[in-house]
Amino acid sequence: MNILDFLSRDILYLDGGMGTLLQAEGLGAGELPERWNTTHAEVIKKIHRDYYDAGSNVVNTNTFGANRLKFSSEELEQIVRSAIDNARGAIAQSKGTQPKWIALDIGPTGRMLKPYGDFDFEDAVATFAETVRLGVKYGADLIFIETMSDSLETKAALLAAKENSDLPIFVSNAYGEDGKLMTGADPAAMVAMLEGMGADAIGVNCSLGPKALKSVVEEYLKYSSLPIILKPNAGLPKAVNGKTVYDVLPEEFAAEVSELIGRGVRIAGGCCGTTPEYIAKTVKASANVIPVKTEKKNITCVSSYTHAVVFGDSPILIGERINPTGKKRFKEALKSRDIDYILREGISQEEKGVHILDVNVGLPDIDEVEMLKTAVCELQAIIDLPLQIDTSDPMAMETALRRYNGKAMINSVSGKQESMEAIFPLAKKYGGLVVALTLDEKGIPETAEERVDIARRILAEAEKHGIDKKDIIFDPLALTISADKNAAKETLRAVGLIRTELGCHTSLGISNVSFGLPERDIINGAFFDLALGQGLSAAIMNPYSQEMMKTYYSYRALSGLDDNCTEYIGFASELPKESVSVAAEKPKEASSNEGHASELQGAIIKGLKDQAANLTAELIKNIEPLSIVQTDIIPALDVVGVGFENKRVYLPQLLMSAEAAKAAFEVIKANMPGGGAADKCSFVIATVKGDIHDIGKNIVKLILENYGFSVTDLGRDVSPDTIVEEVVRSHAPVVGLSALMTTTVPAMEETIKQLRKAAPWCRVVVGGAVLNQEYADAIGADKYAKDAMETVRYAEQVRNEA
Amino acid sequence: MTVYTKVYDAPPFNKKEILRYAGVTGDVAELDELLQTCIDEVSKRLTYKVCYCELPVKRNNDRIELGPIVTSSKALLKNLSGCHSTVLFAATVGVEIDRAIARHSALSPTKALLFQAIGAERIESLCGIFDSDIKEEKARSGYFTSSRFSAGYGDLPLELQRDIFTILDCPRKIGLTLNDSLLMSPSKSVTAIIGVGNK
C-alpha cells in the first residue's frame, strides 16, 4: 500500500527512541551508533522488531548520522545497506498485522552552515544527497529528515532528497522551549518553506516532551495544509540514584500524544527516552480517536529564517531601495563590491518599518548571478525580513532562490509564455510567492478587463506547473499619469477586479504613477491610498517617503487594524516638526572659519557621527572639500590616533571617532565630482582560510579608509588563491592578513608563500590574537602589527616608499 | 553515561568586565550609554545552555583517560591531581550574539566591538554559574572540584574538541557545532573539564 494513501485515511504510527536503547545494550560514549548496523545487526533488528510489534507503521533506520562527514564512502554504503536490511528483517519477523514501511532516517550533519559556521550550503546538499541515493538504492520506502535545528540545513536536506529520489519525504524539526529553532525560525516560517518546497509531511520531534511541544504543534496545525508529525521526547533526562530516568512516563506520554492526535496530528511516535512500551501505549490510547482531516489553508505568505509574513487585510510594505536604477552611489557600490553599502540600505529600510525587502542588483557590467547570490546571503546573515528577489535573469533567480533561507517572493513572471516557462519551474522547485505582471507578448493592455484576462491565463499556466493560486500575487502595473490621464484609474480598477473576481492578492510598484511630475510623493501617497481602498495587499515603495508612510499608518488606523491607534500615535510623534532643527543651527553658521574647523574636529574627536556629517554638509557649502579633509578631518584623526598609541584613548573611542570621520568623508564623497575616487593607495585585506573571525579585520579596514587607503575587503575564510588573484589584479603594494586561531595560522603561511611567488612586490602585514613578532617572522610576513594604528603607520610607510 | 542539559536564566551583566574585554581599562563614562543600548538590544535574544556528563579518570603511566578521551597532557594531569572523576561540559549563549556582531560590523564597528565584548562576558558568566553549581553539588557529597580546563590550554591539544563533541552530542543537545578548523559555532561557546576529587 502507498504510505500517502494510508495517511490520507489513518493515523500513521512511528517508532520511538534508538540511542537510549543502544546505550542500554552497551553502546559506549563516543562510539558511532550507525556502525552497529553492521557490527550488532541482531540488536538493531530486535529494536526495530519490538517497535513493529508495538504497532509502529514506520521505523526509522539507524542512520541518523550516516553521512560522508563521519564515514568513508565504502563504509557508508555498507551501513545504509545493512540498516535497511535490518529493518526489512524486522518486518519479516514482526507479529504486527498493520501496514509497515521503512524510512531512511536523516539527521543533521552536526556542522553549522555559513555564514555562522564554515559549512557551505552546496556541501551540505551533496552530503545529504549521497545518503539519500544509497537509501533509494537499497529500497527505503520514504525519507525521514529529523531533529533539524537550523532552517537552512533543513532546506539543504529536503533539496537533496527531492533531487535524488521520488520517495515521499517527511521533515521534522527540533524546537526549543522558546518555540523556535536554534537558529531562530518559528513554526509558521518552517511551514511556509517546507510546504513551498514540496515536503509530504512536516512536524516536530526531539528536544521536549509532548506537553511542552503542544504550542508548536498548534502553530503547525494552524498554518499547514500537510499532515503533521509529532515525535516528542519522554520529557527530559534526570539522574535518580545514579540511574537515568526520563520524566514523562509511558501512560502520561500516550495520553498527551493522543490528545494532540485528537487535535489534528496525523503522524505520531517518540524520540529520545521513549521505548516500544511508549509506542504501544500511544497506539492503544489513540485507537478510538477519529483522524482529523487535514484542511487546505490557502494562506498567501513568504518567510525568512525567523518568521513568516502573511498577506491579508493589513498592507504589506516592500522596500524598493536596494536597486541601482537611477542611483549613482548605489551603482558605484555595486561596481566596487561594497556589500556593506547594500546592507546599510537594507537595515535602514527595516528600521523604517518595511515588511519585505526587494533586492535588485542588476547592472550591465557586473556578474549579476554572483552578485545577487552574495547580496541575498549577506542580507540574510543580518536582517530577518523576507526578501523579494528581483531579477529578469532566470539563472540569477535560480541561484538566489536556491540559497535563500525561507520562502522568497519572486519578482517576477509575466503573461509571456517564455517568462512563465522559465519562472514557474523554479517556483515549484524552491517554493516562493510569485509576483505576476499582467502583461504579455503584446504589451500592457489598456483596460482593466484585459489585464484580468492575462491574470486568468497566468493562473491556468501556473496550475499546469502545480503551483497553487495562493502562491501567485498579481501586479496590474502602475503607469504614468503624466503620459495618460486615465492610467491610474485602469490600474485601480484592475486591483479591484483581481481581488473580487479572481480572489487573488495584488501588489503595485507605486512610484511609477507620478513619473515626470513635481513633488511626486504627494501623488504617490494618494495613489497608494486609493489602491488600498480597492483591496491592494502590498506595495513596492520608498519607506523614506513620508507621504507613503502617512497613508500606511492612517489606513491601518482607519481600518481597525491598529489597536488604540498605538502605531499611528507612535508614527505621528516622530514626524519632524516644521524644519525646527535647521533654524536652530543657523546662527552657528555665522561664526568664523576657524570656529567651523574646530567644531568638526571636536565632533570627530568625541565620536559624534551625525554631528560630524551635519557639520561637514554645512562647511562644504563654502569650503573646498579637500581643504576640509586637510584642516579638519585629518588633524582630528591624528589627535585620536596619537592618543590611542599613547594609551590615553581606548579602542572603542578610537572606533567612534573613526566612524564619525567616515560619516564626514561620506558627505565629502557625495559632493566631489566623480565621487572623490582619487588615485588612492590600494590595500587588500582578508581573514585567512578556515577562520571566520572578522572583527579585528573590520576595525583595521575602517581606520585605513579614514587614512586615505582604498581598501578591498575580501571577507573572512578566504582561500590563498582568491587573495593572490586580487593582489595581482589590483597590483596592491600591501596586503593585510588576519587570523585568530592557531589552527588557521598555517593557512596564513600558505597565503604568504603563494603571494611571494605571484606578487613579489607586495608587502604583507599580519595581525590577530594568536600572532606575535616571532610567529610573524616564522611564517615569513614583512610586518606584525599589534593593532589598527600600527597597521596604518606601516601602510603609510609603504605608500611613501612607492 | 548520560548527557544532561541545563538552561539558565541570564546572569547579571557586568559592565566593567565587558569594557575590559573591549580594551577599556580605565573609567570612560561616555561609553556607558552606548553600552547599555547594546545590552538592551541583545539581552532578550541570548540563551544560556549547558550540556554535560561525568567521566571517570583512569591513569595509565603518564597517560590519562577520561572515557574515550586519551591524552598525555602534563597540564591536564596536574590539573586533575587528586581527582577520581570529571565533569565534561559544553556551554553556549547561542547564535544571536553572532548575528548582532555581524549586523553591526556593517553599521558600526564600535558597536560590533562592544557586542563582541558582551558575548565574551556572557559566556564567561555562564561558565561561572555552571562551575559553581557543580562545585556546590559535589561539596555536598564531600568532594572538591578543580578549576575548569579547556582543550587548547597548555599542552592539551585543541584536537580533543572532536572527541568532546562526539561524547556530548553538542549539536543535538545545545545547538553547538564544531567546524573543520576546530572553531565552535556559535562563537560565544566554551567546552571544559572540571575535576572532582575527595577533599
Side-chain angles (χ1 to χ4, degrees):
Chain A
M1 191 190 305
N2 181 307
I3 187 169
L4 297 178
D5 289 341
F6 178 85
L7 186 52
S8 67
R9 291 187 299 271
D10 291 283
I11 304 296
L12 185 77
Y13 293 101
L14 306 171
D15 60 1
M18 172 67 81
T20 26
L21 299 180
L22 291 182
Q23 277 174 20
E25 295 284 344
L27 179 80
E31 199 179 340
L32 296 172
E34 295 78 15
R35 230 164 236 156
W36 275 39
N37 285 310
T38 52
T39 59
H40 298 68
E42 287 309 315
V43 174
I44 305 294
K45 208 183 289 178
K46 173 156 189 321
I47 294 173
H48 288 329
R49 194 188 69 209
D50 289 347
Y51 278 119
Y52 282 130
D53 285 349
S56 299
N57 298 107
V58 172
V59 304
N60 285 5
T61 53
N62 178 31
T63 51
F64 186 82
N67 61 53
R68 60 159 70 156
L69 302 179
K70 297 199 182 87
F71 303 97
S72 70
S73 61
E74 297 82 46
E75 188 178 11
L76 182 61
E77 177 148 7
Q78 256 180 22
I79 284 172
V80 174
R81 187 180 60 203
S82 31
I84 293 171
D85 281 350
N86 292 337
R88 201 174 282 127
I91 291 183
Q93 292 170 1
S94 168
K95 297 183 292 284
T97 53
Q98 77 278 22
K100 300 181 195 71
W101 291 277
I102 299 167
L104 174 75
D105 188 62
I106 293 187
T109 59
R111 293 279 296 274
M112 180 89 93
L113 268 64
K114 291 174 184 175
Y116 293 109
D118 69 339
F119 200 41
D120 188 74
F121 179 78
E122 291 300 344
D123 291 339
V125 175
T127 301
F128 292 122
E130 187 175 351
T131 307
V132 167
R133 283 192 295 267
L134 291 171
V136 172
K137 181 172 171 189
Y138 292 106
D141 300 309
L142 69 148
I143 293 166
F144 203 119
I145 297 164
E146 60 145 321
T147 325
M148 291 282 170
S149 59
D150 172 41
S151 48
L152 192 58
E153 188 177 6
T154 314
K155 175 169 178 168
L158 177 51
L159 201 56
K162 282 261 152 200
E163 288 181 337
N164 294 281
S165 85
D166 297 316
L167 298 176
I169 304 168
F170 290 11
V171 184
S172 174
N173 288 100
Y175 287 85
E177 286 86 351
D178 56 358
K180 291 175 182 168
L181 299 190
M182 191 265 297
T183 49
D186 66 17
M190 291 311 294
V191 170
M193 180 175 89
L194 299 173
E195 277 195 21
M197 291 180 65
D200 295 288
I202 59 177
V204 304
N205 76 297
C206 205
S207 45
L208 303 166
K211 202 184 277 173
L213 283 172
K214 189 172 160 186
S215 58
V216 173
V217 169
E218 281 168 346
E219 288 289 288
Y220 268 78
L221 292 169
K222 178 175 162 193
Y223 287 104
S224 177
S225 308
L226 295 174
I228 300 305
I229 305 162
L230 173 61
K231 205 177 188 292
N233 286 352
L236 292 170
K238 293 211 165 87
V240 177
N241 302 327
K243 268 184 72 184
T244 303
V245 289
Y246 279 81
D247 65 2
V248 180
L249 298 174
E251 286 74 19
E252 189 186 351
F253 181 91
E256 286 167 5
V257 172
S258 297
E259 193 211 322
L260 288 166
I261 291 174
R263 293 197 180 219
V265 165
R266 295 298 297 261
I267 304 169
C271 202
C272 306
T274 61
T275 60
E277 188 189 356
Y278 281 77
I279 300 304
K281 292 227 155 90
T282 302
V283 172
K284 202 169 158 213
S286 58
N288 295 319
V289 179
I290 299 159
V292 179
K293 195 170 179 303
T294 305
E295 299 284 349
K296 193 157 175 277
K297 301 298 191 299
N298 276 324
I299 296 169
T300 293
C301 69
V302 291
S303 69
S304 68
Y305 55 88
T306 57
H307 66 283
V309 169
V310 177
F311 291 70
D313 295 334
S314 182
I316 302 297
L317 304 178
I318 305 171
E320 68 181 12
R321 302 290 299 172
I322 301 181
N323 189 325
T325 311
K327 299 190 197 91
K328 203 177 87 183
R329 180 68 182 87
F330 199 104
K331 283 180 187 160
E332 190 197 312
L334 278 181
K335 280 182 194 152
S336 59
R337 291 186 59 84
D338 181 357
I339 301 290
D340 282 357
Y341 184 85
I342 298 174
L343 299 182
R344 285 195 292 272
E345 196 64 81
I347 290 169
S348 58
Q349 291 184 90
E350 180 189 29
E351 285 168 350
K352 285 282 174 197
V354 304
H355 308 106
I356 294 170
L357 294 175
D358 184 85
V359 183
N360 181 324
V361 292
L363 262 193
D365 38 3
I366 66 157
D367 177 357
E368 191 185 350
V369 176
E370 192 51 40
M371 192 65 200
L372 188 60
K373 181 175 105 177
T374 305
V376 164
C377 292
E378 297 276 346
L379 282 164
Q380 286 211 300
I382 61 162
I383 297 177
D384 69 1
L385 298 180
L387 302 180
Q388 168 167 288
I389 300 171
D390 182 357
T391 174
S392 52
D393 176 353
M395 171 91 99
M397 181 62 85
E398 170 153 26
T399 312
L401 285 176
R402 197 172 166 87
R403 291 289 175 125
Y404 182 77
N405 191 353
K407 176 183 180 183
M409 209 157 165
I410 299 174
N411 189 12
S412 59
V413 74
S414 75
K416 291 180 184 167
Q417 199 59 34
E418 189 192 358
S419 163
M420 293 191 282
E421 275 163 21
I423 296 302
F424 284 147
L426 300 180
K428 178 68 188 166
K429 180 170 182 185
Y430 299 105
L433 172 61
V434 187
V435 181
L437 311 177
T438 57
L439 61 85
D440 62 11
E441 286 80 2
K442 285 174 280 180
I444 305 172
E446 206 162 299
T447 69
E449 284 75 11
E450 291 168 291
R451 291 184 208 177
V452 176
D453 284 344
I454 294 180
R456 281 206 177 85
R457 288 208 301 278
I458 293 175
L459 284 180
E461 188 69 25
E463 202 185 337
K464 283 188 213 159
H465 286 89
I467 294 167
D468 206 85
K469 193 167 107 175
K470 74 174 167 58
D471 285 327
I472 306 278
I473 179 167
F474 287 102
D475 181 342
L477 300 158
L479 302 177
T480 308
I481 50 166
S482 59
D484 170 6
K485 69 173 180 183
N486 290 319
K489 266 172 58 187
E490 285 307 309
T491 302
L492 290 169
R493 282 208 317 118
V495 168
L497 288 174
I498 289 168
R499 189 80 199 112
T500 52
E501 290 195 5
L502 303 183
C504 288
H505 290 283
T506 51
S507 169
L508 278 175
I510 296 290
S511 37
N512 290 343
V513 77
S514 60
F515 196 78
L517 293 175
E519 300 294 337
R520 292 178 61 185
D521 259 6
I522 298 174
I523 295 288
N524 292 347
F527 180 58
F528 185 31
D529 200 1
L530 291 169
L532 288 172
Q534 290 293 317
L536 183 76
S537 315
I540 305 179
M541 46 80 74
N542 176 3
Y544 308 133
S545 157
Q546 228 168 73
E547 295 301 325
M548 288 295 290
M549 297 312 281
K550 282 179 188 169
T551 300
Y552 171 75
Y553 284 104
S554 36
Y555 178 85
R556 276 181 50 87
L558 293 165
S559 310
L561 296 166
D562 184 2
D563 288 341
N564 303 319
C565 301
T566 313
E567 289 173 26
Y568 174 78
I569 293 167
F571 168 72
S573 69
E574 299 215 333
L575 282 177
K577 306 281 170 286
E578 298 296 321
S579 56
V580 178
S581 51
V582 181
E585 281 185 14
K586 278 278 185 248
K588 286 183 190 165
E589 208 185 345
S591 60
S592 70
N593 274 352
E594 293 101 306
H596 281 132
S598 61
E599 210 177 336
L600 177 53
Q601 279 194 23
I604 292 173
I605 292 169
K606 287 194 208 116
L608 305 170
K609 220 180 198 176
D610 294 342
Q611 203 179 328
N614 292 340
L615 287 166
T616 310
E618 279 303 314
L619 288 176
I620 215 156
K621 289 176 187 162
N622 306 312
I623 303 173
E624 271 292 294
L626 281 179
S627 111
I628 300 175
V629 174
Q630 289 308 327
T631 57
D632 292 277
I633 304 181
I634 298 275
L637 281 172
D638 273 337
V639 170
V640 182
V642 170
F644 178 74
E645 284 163 327
N646 297 330
K647 302 195 168 53
R648 279 182 287 107
V649 169
Y650 296 114
L651 184 57
Q653 296 166 296
L654 175 74
L655 291 178
M656 283 166 77
S657 294
E659 285 181 42
K662 189 171 173 180
F665 275 125
E666 278 287 332
V667 175
I668 285 173
K669 217 169 169 184
N671 284 279
M672 296 247 293
D679 49 333
K680 289 175 176 174
C681 175
S682 43
F683 189 110
V684 174
I685 194 165
T687 302
V688 297
K689 179 103 191 119
D691 208 321
I692 54 170
H693 294 92
D694 62 358
I695 194 149
K697 182 211 72 188
N698 290 344
I699 290 170
V700 173
K701 173 186 166 189
L702 171 71
I703 310 282
L704 279 167
E705 280 174 341
N706 279 338
Y707 277 85
F709 289 87
S710 158
V711 183
T712 305
D713 180 3
L714 297 176
R716 50 193 195 166
D717 190 15
V718 186
S719 71
D721 11 324
T722 310
I723 297 170
V724 169
E725 207 173 286
E726 178 58 27
V727 169
V728 170
R729 192 196 63 78
S730 62
H731 206 85
V734 54
V735 58
L737 302 176
S738 162
L740 247 84
M741 301 272 299
T742 42
T743 45
T744 54
V745 173
M748 186 179 261
E749 186 174 14
E750 176 59 28
T751 307
I752 296 174
K753 212 189 281 169
Q754 292 195 24
L755 278 169
R756 296 298 180 224
K757 243 182 264 162
W761 66 85
C762 184
R763 306 286 187 81
V764 182
V765 49
V766 297
V770 295
L771 287 162
N772 52 37
Q773 189 63 53
E774 201 182 321
Y775 229 154
D777 293 339
I779 60 173
D782 294 299
K783 169 79 185 167
Y784 161 72
K786 70 176 191 309
D787 57 34
M789 282 314 296
E790 201 173 344
T791 313
V792 168
R793 300 299 180 219
Y794 180 69
E796 283 177 325
Q797 189 192 319
V798 174
R799 176 170 62 187
N800 295 340
E801 285 166 16
Chain B
M1 183 224 58
T2 308
V3 177
Y4 299 94
T5 54
K6 273 192 183 183
V7 181
Y8 287 94
D9 291 335
F13 285 81
N14 181 342
K15 283 193 186 174
K16 202 168 170 204
E17 190 67 359
I18 294 171
L19 286 174
R20 194 180 62 77
Y21 280 115
V24 180
T25 46
D27 263 338
V28 187
E30 67 208 67
L31 285 171
D32 193 69
E33 198 186 321
L34 187 66
L35 177 57
Q36 191 58 49
T37 321
C38 293
I39 290 175
D40 292 345
E41 183 178 324
V42 86
S43 63
K44 288 209 175 60
R45 292 157 56 196
L46 303 180
T47 57
Y48 301 87
K49 293 185 181 170
V50 182
C51 64
Y52 63 101
C53 71
E54 285 209 45
L55 295 171
V57 178
K58 274 191 220 150
R59 292 183 179 77
N60 194 344
N61 298 325
D62 30 340
R63 281 197 321 182
I64 192 162
E65 292 177 26
L66 314 170
I69 299 177
V70 181
T71 171
S72 44
S73 157
K74 290 199 175 61
L76 183 65
L77 203 65
K78 189 165 166 230
N79 192 258
L80 293 181
S81 66
C83 297
H84 61 273
S85 165
T86 56
V87 172
L88 175 69
F89 77 94
T92 182
V93 297
V95 75
E96 290 298 321
I97 188 77
D98 290 335
R99 287 210 173 113
I101 293 168
R103 182 177 169 105
H104 289 282
S105 294
L107 285 177
S108 159
T110 316
K111 280 196 183 178
L113 176 74
L114 292 177
F115 280 114
Q116 182 82 14
I118 290 170
E121 184 270 345
R122 293 286 78 196
I123 186 64
E124 273 310 308
S125 298
L126 174 60
C127 290
I129 305 180
F130 177 74
D131 205 337
S132 52
D133 260 14
I134 294 293
K135 190 185 271 313
E136 214 172 282
E137 185 193 316
K138 294 299 170 191
R140 280 199 296 270
S141 320
Y143 298 132
F144 78 94
T145 54
S146 72
S147 56
R148 50 177 196 270
F149 204 85
S150 294
Y153 284 15
D155 63 351
L156 188 64
L158 196 59
E159 281 67 24
L160 279 188
Q161 286 282 63
R162 295 194 207 282
D163 292 328
I164 295 172
F165 269 70
T166 315
I167 295 168
L168 290 177
D169 196 10
C170 302
R172 186 158 181 167
K173 297 291 178 188
I174 57 171
L176 176 62
T177 64
L178 187 68
N179 74 20
D180 265 348
S181 33
L182 302 173
L183 276 171
M184 289 182 280
S185 303
S187 69
K188 298 304 174 196
S189 306
V190 162
T191 67
I193 298 162
I194 301 171
V196 182
N198 284 310
K199 269 184 183 166

